[in-house]
Amino acid sequence: MNKGTFLKYFLNQYTESGLAAVIQALAQAGLFIHKRLGEAGLADVLGSAGQTNIQGESVQKMDVIANNYVIDCLKNVPACGAMVSEETENVLPFNDMGKYVVAVDPLDGSSNIDVAAPVGTIFAIWEKISQDTPKAVDFLQPGKKLNAAGYIIYGSSTLLVLSVGNGTHAFTLASNDEFILSHPDIVIKKQGNIYSINQGNYQKFEEGLKNYIEWCTGTDKESSRPYSLRYIGSMVGDIHRTLLKGGIFIYPANKGETKGKLRLLYECIPMSYLVVHAGGDASNGEKPILDITPQEIHERSAIYIGSKENVHQCLEFVQRKVVY
């Protein structure tokens, strides 16, 4: 595939028409969100909407706007049977005959909007397995059964990062409102020297993870340590950097907890699909993320994701196989 290829031509070549239409609809929603974010400071869309979502988190005004854009763009696509979203409690059915279902985080990192930091839209697409009205079971499939996954990052430029199972590719939004292939066949470094974690929660971490952080901050020329700490606070921003520059992104379960904070269905699974198809790895600390079958729509998970050697090395500490 060649740089400069329009998204629609890429999809026509590498996917069937129904899946292509669903992805194009998500790209259209991303274009609308991109434009609305560009005028956020002028259009009274900054700050809280004064409500909470199903996870009990404060909803930002742009969360609501982004969610509505995604719904509006998907509901009229015949191939889209239903969607679930971070902002909705239950499945939103669109079309009983739709072949695909879509899980979406409409605006990851929305609290960063007020300070103009990167935010994004994350999505995962599965083929529907039920025979009638779409329901929760259609979404409760492991990531290894995905048909496509991606994210749109809104930052210094707007990019759609996508995998339909043939590698991971990035399309940059151009001035003509088209997403154009700019990063074909992204390959993540086998090992990087950047780690990304909210280190302010250090005292809440299990001892194995604390040992890994101590190892990362130790000095050793042979292993290029100390590693650099980078943490944006939106999963899209941190994963995008990790994908392009290598290293590891960590969002663990805190001490005494069994699961982390990030949502499995529409954050951890799609991001893991992208990173794995770029040659990286992703785990919840015990098993590969893509092997996990979700038990509920808004299930949470810990995640260790990034360059393969960094992830494996971190898990050695987390699982107490080595001590620093």
Side-chain angles (χ1 to χ4, degrees):
M1 58 194 73
N2 299 316
K3 282 187 177 182
T5 301
F6 282 24
L7 175 65
K8 57 188 173 184
Y9 297 134
F10 172 91
L11 294 174
N12 287 340
Q13 183 175 359
Y14 293 105
T15 68
E16 61 87 28
S17 59
L19 181 58
V22 172
I23 296 171
Q24 283 279 59
L26 289 162
Q28 186 65 43
L31 174 61
F32 292 151
I33 295 167
H34 157 84
K35 290 185 174 182
R36 199 63 182 271
L37 286 170
E39 59 186 23
L42 303 173
D44 192 31
V45 296
L46 297 177
S48 172
Q51 61 193 74
T52 58
N53 61 19
I54 184 61
Q55 289 84 23
E57 299 166 340
S58 176
V59 175
Q60 303 296 303
K61 293 177 183 178
M62 270 303 304
D63 283 318
V64 178
I65 293 167
N67 192 55
N68 289 337
Y69 280 145
V70 173
I71 292 171
D72 289 344
C73 288
L74 286 177
K75 68 183 181 182
N76 294 318
V77 178
C80 185
M83 68 170 273
V84 296
S85 163
E86 181 183 20
E87 307 307 327
T88 57
E89 182 174 358
N90 300 309
V91 173
L92 295 176
F94 295 143
N95 175 10
D96 288 1
M97 301 303 292
K99 183 178 180 180
Y100 299 100
V101 295
V102 185
V104 186
D105 182 349
L107 203 59
D108 173 73
S110 56
S111 60
N112 277 336
I113 295 171
D114 293 3
V115 295
V119 294
T121 300
I122 310 172
F123 59 88
I125 305 171
W126 286 269
E127 192 168 325
K128 185 164 72 83
I129 56 177
S130 60
Q131 300 301 312
D132 47 16
T133 302
K135 50 185 70 72
V137 68
D138 294 307
F139 296 89
L140 303 181
Q141 303 185 61
K144 60 187 178 184
K145 291 190 176 181
L146 276 169
N147 292 83
Y151 63 80
I152 303 170
I153 182 169
Y154 314 101
S156 55
S157 57
T158 294
L159 295 93
L160 187 157
V161 180
L162 174 70
S163 179
V164 293
N166 67 337
T168 299
H169 319 281
F171 300 78
T172 297
L173 183 62
S175 57
N176 62 355
D177 290 345
E178 295 280 358
F179 283 98
I180 299 174
L181 184 62
S182 54
H183 300 69
D185 294 307
I186 296 170
V187 178
I188 191 171
K189 291 179 179 179
K190 289 185 178 179
Q191 184 160 16
N193 61 355
I194 298 173
Y195 73 105
S196 181
I197 190 170
N198 184 357
Q199 203 155 316
N201 289 330
Y202 181 85
Q203 295 303 326
K204 299 178 182 180
F205 298 156
E206 296 283 1
E207 289 305 311
L209 182 55
K210 287 182 179 179
N211 287 337
Y212 176 68
I213 291 172
E214 291 298 316
W215 183 86
C216 288
T217 57
T219 300
D220 177 54
K221 285 187 177 181
E222 188 175 340
S223 55
S224 301
R225 290 183 290 136
Y227 285 177
S228 297
L229 170 62
R230 299 286 184 269
Y231 186 71
I232 295 170
S234 71
M235 190 185 193
V236 164
D238 284 308
I239 292 294
H240 190 66
R241 181 198 57 252
T242 303
L243 191 61
L244 297 182
K245 294 193 173 184
I248 186 170
F249 170 81
I250 305 166
Y251 211 116
N254 289 331
K255 191 181 300 183
E257 296 178 353
T258 57
K259 296 186 178 182
K261 177 184 176 182
L262 299 180
R263 268 65 57 157
L264 182 60
L265 201 65
Y266 40 81
E267 292 177 321
C268 296
I269 284 178
M271 288 304 201
S272 298
Y273 189 80
L274 293 166
V275 168
V276 168
H277 278 276
D281 209 349
S283 171
N284 70 348
E286 297 177 357
K287 63 191 298 187
I289 292 286
L290 297 183
D291 287 349
I292 300 170
T293 300
Q295 300 302 303
E296 55 187 52
I297 288 173
H298 300 293
E299 182 176 349
R300 297 176 185 265
S301 176
I303 189 168
Y304 304 81
I305 181 171
S307 298
K308 187 166 289 188
E309 291 185 13
N310 292 79
V311 171
H312 292 179
Q313 195 165 42
C314 180
L315 293 179
E316 290 282 316
F317 281 90
V318 169
Q319 296 168 357
R320 302 294 190 93
K321 294 177 182 177
V322 297
V323 177
Y324 182 64

